[in-house]
Amino acid sequence: MNDWRFSISFRFVCALALAFSFLIEKASAQEALAEGPSGTSPTELKKLSLEELVDLQVTSASRRPENLWQTSSAVDVITSEDIERAGVTNIPDALRLGTELEVAQLDGHTWAISTRGFNTTVANKMQVLMDGRSLYTPLFSGVFWDVQQTFLPDLEQIEVIRGPGATLWGANAINGVINIRTKSADETQGFLAYGGGGFENEGFGGIRYGGKIDNNTFYRVYVMNENGDGLPIEGVGGQEDDRRMTQGGFRIDSKDHANNTFTFQGDFYTGNLDQLGMTDIDVDGQNAIGRWTHEWDKETSFMAQAYYDRTHRFVPGIFEEERNTFDIEVQHQFRYGEHYIVYGGNYRLSHDDIGNLGPGLAFIPSNDTQHLLSAYIQDEWHIVPDKFFLTAGSKFEYNTFSGFEVQPTARVTWLPAENQTVWGAISRAVRTPSRIDQNLVAPNPAFGPPLLVPNPDFESETLIAYELGYRIKPTNTLAIDIAGYFNDYDNLRSVEPLPNGTFIIQNKVVGQSYGASISAKVRATDWWRIDGSVSLLQVDIDRAAGGHDVNNGAGEANDPNCMFMLHSAMDLPWHLQFDSFLRFVNDLPNPNTPSYLTADARLAWSPRKNYTFAIVGRNLFDNAHPEFRTTTLSREVERSVFAIFEWRY
């Protein structure tokens, strides 16, 4: 079996090398290709030159708009056109388009998502935001992906930082940051309806209408519904884990004059998630966010925002949680000589009420209020303008769980030539404790003596990260991005035995991870674009001195050591688009999940400018395969074929 896997892996790597060789040769042959028209509207991206495609504006790396090509971080941008051309219908599947993003579906409504390792069913080392609102939950320091959705045609782009972003985004941005941004209301005017369904996809659809109140104030409202098929049990069949969700929302953008912008938006969702042989999980929530921005010029601005977020989850016979979060934040950025300075702060209050419903587990106390107070400052010093930049800054944070935390970074950017960027960074980041780390008891003491006892002294996990990157555009039609890193982790979570036969969660595991990625974008012709990425990863986890973790660190990570994605996007005659994707994920060790190679495809036809019809096929190489096994019944992701229509008026 191991020889067979080695043979497959060897042939795969050879094929990969040949593929990139072909891309480079094709790009060189097309170096004189004429550039497309200017503009950065996502619907026009297929017409842009390669320079415009790689020089998109990002805000996540430095909290101010900057050129993607010159950032001192490993950053990906997944555009709305990328998402449309992939034919995906939810955010987790859209994230599969990103370099180094590990996305694995466990069942009909559960995903494991991380970057640069430490992926589990409750992955806890990523900070995720949507339009400035944190999706992180203090319950387990992660994200409930089953309730994270937006009206995908209104999505502007998803920015992904691979590597620590804690200096600006705070605790939990230890391995990366995912920043989901939607379009402003003035960009989504008129009526839009979409829908679809098919084989292994029950159906989905939504409508949106955008209008204006006056010449300076625009709005949109939307509602959408999803009915996702469950996944069969590996080797058994049967499903019973369907996902049914309804979501709606609004956004208002107003500009009273050239310098002031006000945004007010909100969403609601409600749904239920099937469980095998058990009553459905019920979920619902609401949120609202307001943001005011004043700009003196392109380099000087002040922002103030506040949001409220309510979430509710009822898992029959296990637990119920209602969480209310309030957050207020201010930020100021300006230029002083050759210094670009950004600083700000925020206060967050999150209150939970947990119902300990069954004998399996309990959170003690059953209700709690967490406070977070933070400030940050970062200075980007252009020591040699347009050639050499030094960035330094830190986050200073107080939280209820672990007290005071400091998370600094130092970054350097060197532009040896107009078409090259070299960057490096050293950063410290922390993953602060959660309710699971300090307050989880199992079984529920109301039903018997506990085996796992709480530990209010659990400390923050820490990371020292070293990164190095290189970007080059050797021709007018080829861009290459290379990034490498070494991460040194301390105080990782462990489950330690106690002399009385019980167990406790402590910080007695250490680890290192290291790896590299290479991605490339190619304009093969004026109608054919190719992009792809390869990432390699090694995670080593051991007991710390004096530690006796019962899992020997295996419970904290389950990661592939190699992933690959190749995407071909063609604009064909007769208003046709054809996109194909080849994806490879190596096997997972804990528990073992076999590697898989699969393909997706989308054929779209737009007979008129405002109408598109597409056929999408996903996981086309086999009937079904597991993406992430668990110690209980594992499920398989099936091949699916479905249709999507979109009408704009």
Side-chain angles (χ1 to χ4, degrees):
M1 180 65 70
N2 290 334
D3 292 341
W4 177 82
R5 288 181 181 172
F6 174 80
S7 175
I8 292 294
S9 299
F10 177 76
R11 284 182 285 174
F12 173 76
V13 171
C14 290
L16 178 61
L18 289 173
F20 271 103
S21 174
F22 166 77
L23 298 185
I24 294 172
E25 290 178 5
K26 192 71 176 177
S28 299
Q30 297 293 332
E31 186 169 355
L33 181 67
E35 296 185 359
S38 62
T40 56
S41 169
T43 58
E44 298 295 322
L45 280 175
K46 60 182 177 290
K47 302 176 183 178
L48 298 180
S49 67
L50 183 72
E51 286 76 9
E52 291 166 308
L53 281 170
V54 299
D55 287 350
L56 294 169
Q57 293 285 300
V58 297
T59 61
S60 302
S62 62
R63 278 188 174 253
R64 64 178 180 83
E66 63 177 331
N67 189 313
L68 169 64
W69 189 255
Q70 296 181 0
T71 58
S72 55
S73 302
V75 181
D76 260 357
V77 175
I78 304 170
T79 67
S80 61
E81 196 217 1
D82 294 333
I83 293 171
E84 179 184 4
R85 298 194 69 138
V88 301
T89 59
N90 57 62
I91 289 176
D93 282 340
L95 294 176
R96 297 181 191 271
L97 303 174
T99 304
E100 289 188 295
L101 273 172
E102 306 165 37
V103 180
Q105 187 171 3
L106 282 75
D107 57 37
H109 46 75
T110 307
W111 288 264
I113 300 177
S114 186
T115 186
R116 296 189 172 178
F118 291 85
N119 202 17
T120 69
T121 55
V122 286
N124 58 17
K125 293 177 175 59
M126 294 281 292
Q127 181 63 272
V128 184
L129 305 107
M130 184 178 294
D131 286 331
R133 176 174 55 90
S134 176
L135 306 183
Y136 151 96
T137 172
L139 184 71
F140 68 96
S141 296
V143 174
F144 283 115
W145 287 104
D146 51 13
V147 295
Q148 309 306 332
Q149 183 59 298
T150 189
F151 195 80
L152 289 182
D154 291 346
L155 192 148
E156 181 178 4
Q157 60 190 35
I158 302 174
E159 300 176 7
V160 182
I161 299 176
R162 294 125 51 203
T167 295
L168 296 177
W169 298 107
N172 215 52
I174 188 167
N175 275 15
V177 178
I178 297 173
N179 191 3
I180 303 165
R181 298 170 51 197
T182 61
K183 302 171 187 174
S184 64
D186 60 316
E187 297 177 283
T188 55
Q189 294 292 283
F191 178 81
L192 184 150
Y194 76 92
F199 177 65
E200 301 302 343
N201 195 320
E202 286 186 8
F204 53 90
I207 56 174
R208 178 259 288 159
Y209 179 76
K212 66 178 184 177
I213 299 172
D214 55 43
N215 290 335
N216 298 316
T217 306
F218 301 84
Y219 70 90
R220 68 167 177 259
V221 293
Y222 77 92
V223 65
M224 55 188 289
N225 180 261
E226 298 176 88
N227 293 297
D229 269 357
L231 303 185
I233 298 171
E234 186 178 6
V236 177
Q239 295 181 335
E240 295 189 49
D241 65 342
D242 294 356
R243 174 175 179 263
R244 293 169 293 276
M245 296 290 296
T246 299
Q247 180 168 319
F250 70 93
R251 175 163 174 162
I252 301 171
D253 289 283
S254 180
K255 219 175 212 188
D256 59 359
H257 55 77
N259 296 331
N260 285 323
T261 303
F262 177 74
T263 297
F264 182 53
Q265 64 187 96
D267 307 276
F268 75 88
Y269 65 85
T270 182
N272 52 73
L273 317 170
D274 285 354
Q275 297 188 97
L276 182 63
M278 298 175 64
T279 307
D280 294 353
I281 298 171
D282 292 326
V283 292
D284 63 89
Q286 305 83 33
N287 65 78
I289 182 170
R291 183 186 308 107
W292 172 67
T293 304
H294 179 80
E295 293 184 353
W296 286 270
D297 53 51
K298 291 183 179 180
E299 297 171 343
T300 308
S301 67
F302 176 83
M303 181 274 293
Q305 77 167 28
Y307 70 78
Y308 164 72
D309 192 0
R310 174 191 172 272
T311 62
H312 173 250
R313 179 175 296 260
F314 174 62
V315 186
I318 300 179
F319 91 111
E320 180 176 16
E321 183 203 30
E322 179 171 329
R323 179 173 296 277
N324 290 274
T325 302
F326 303 86
D327 186 284
I328 184 168
E329 178 179 357
V330 294
Q331 176 183 299
H332 182 213
Q333 63 179 37
F334 63 95
R335 178 176 178 177
Y336 179 74
E338 293 301 329
H339 295 264
Y340 293 79
I341 299 172
V342 57
Y343 68 94
N346 82 296
Y347 169 72
R348 181 179 303 159
L349 181 151
S350 187
H351 177 80
D352 62 51
D353 285 295
I354 297 177
N356 299 314
L357 304 178
L361 57 86
F363 290 87
I364 300 176
S366 60
N367 59 77
D368 189 43
T369 300
Q370 300 94 42
H371 302 273
L372 174 68
L373 181 65
S374 71
Y376 57 88
I377 184 169
Q378 181 166 286
D379 179 11
E380 182 182 293
W381 181 17
H382 289 211
I383 299 175
V384 181
D386 301 323
K387 281 293 182 182
F388 190 78
F389 316 149
L390 176 65
T391 302
S394 185
K395 186 91 165 183
F396 307 94
E397 194 168 84
Y398 173 84
N399 70 87
T400 301
F401 291 113
S402 63
F404 187 66
E405 305 282 0
V406 180
Q407 302 176 84
T409 189
R411 298 177 178 271
V412 61
T413 307
W414 176 39
L415 309 177
E418 184 179 358
N419 61 349
Q420 297 182 57
T421 301
V422 181
W423 64 271
I426 302 175
S427 309
R428 181 183 189 270
V430 303
R431 199 277 291 180
T432 54
S434 66
R435 290 276 265 150
I436 279 184
D437 300 313
Q438 292 191 349
N439 305 137
L440 179 64
V441 184
N444 188 338
F447 292 82
L451 186 63
L452 178 69
V453 298
N455 180 12
D457 297 322
F458 184 90
E459 301 175 352
S460 293
E461 300 178 340
T462 62
L463 163 69
I464 304 296
Y466 307 86
E467 301 178 88
L468 188 64
Y470 177 60
R471 302 183 182 99
I472 183 171
K473 291 180 280 191
T475 74
N476 290 337
T477 57
L478 172 66
I480 299 174
D481 190 338
I482 303 171
Y485 60 93
F486 176 82
N487 289 343
D488 189 9
Y489 299 88
D490 199 4
N491 279 359
L492 293 176
R493 182 169 55 192
S494 63
V495 179
E496 302 291 325
L498 295 175
N500 62 1
T502 61
F503 298 87
I504 190 170
I505 296 176
Q506 293 185 337
N507 300 90
K508 294 187 177 181
V509 165
V510 297
Q512 296 81 38
S513 69
Y514 52 92
S517 65
I518 178 172
S519 61
K521 295 182 184 294
V522 180
R523 271 291 188 185
T525 70
D526 59 352
W527 51 268
W528 187 16
R529 190 186 84 197
I530 305 169
D531 56 84
S533 65
V534 184
S535 59
L536 304 174
L537 166 69
Q538 179 65 41
V539 178
D540 298 317
I541 302 177
D542 299 295
R543 296 184 179 117
H548 301 87
D549 179 42
V550 297
N551 298 311
N552 197 23
E556 292 301 296
N558 195 19
D559 308 294
N561 57 29
C562 178
M563 296 186 297
F564 166 75
M565 191 273 290
L566 184 65
H567 170 215
S568 165
M570 297 181 177
D571 294 312
L572 303 174
W574 305 296
H575 308 287
L576 293 172
Q577 290 180 340
F578 180 66
D579 290 79
S580 55
F581 300 81
L582 186 67
R583 291 188 292 114
F584 171 80
V585 178
N586 211 351
D587 57 341
L588 310 181
N590 303 308
N592 178 261
T593 306
S595 61
Y596 64 89
L597 175 68
T598 192
D600 303 333
R602 172 182 176 268
L603 178 64
W605 178 45
S606 299
R608 296 184 178 181
K609 186 177 180 180
N610 62 340
Y611 182 83
T612 300
F613 177 80
I615 299 293
V616 179
R618 307 203 65 223
N619 299 296
L620 297 176
F621 281 178
D622 56 29
N623 289 328
H625 62 265
E627 291 189 347
F628 200 106
R629 283 177 174 157
T630 62
T631 54
T632 56
L633 293 175
S634 298
R635 296 181 178 271
E636 297 182 298
V637 177
E638 298 177 285
R639 177 190 295 130
S640 63
V641 179
F642 54 92
I644 304 176
F645 77 88
E646 183 178 296
W647 177 52
R648 299 172 183 263
Y649 177 74

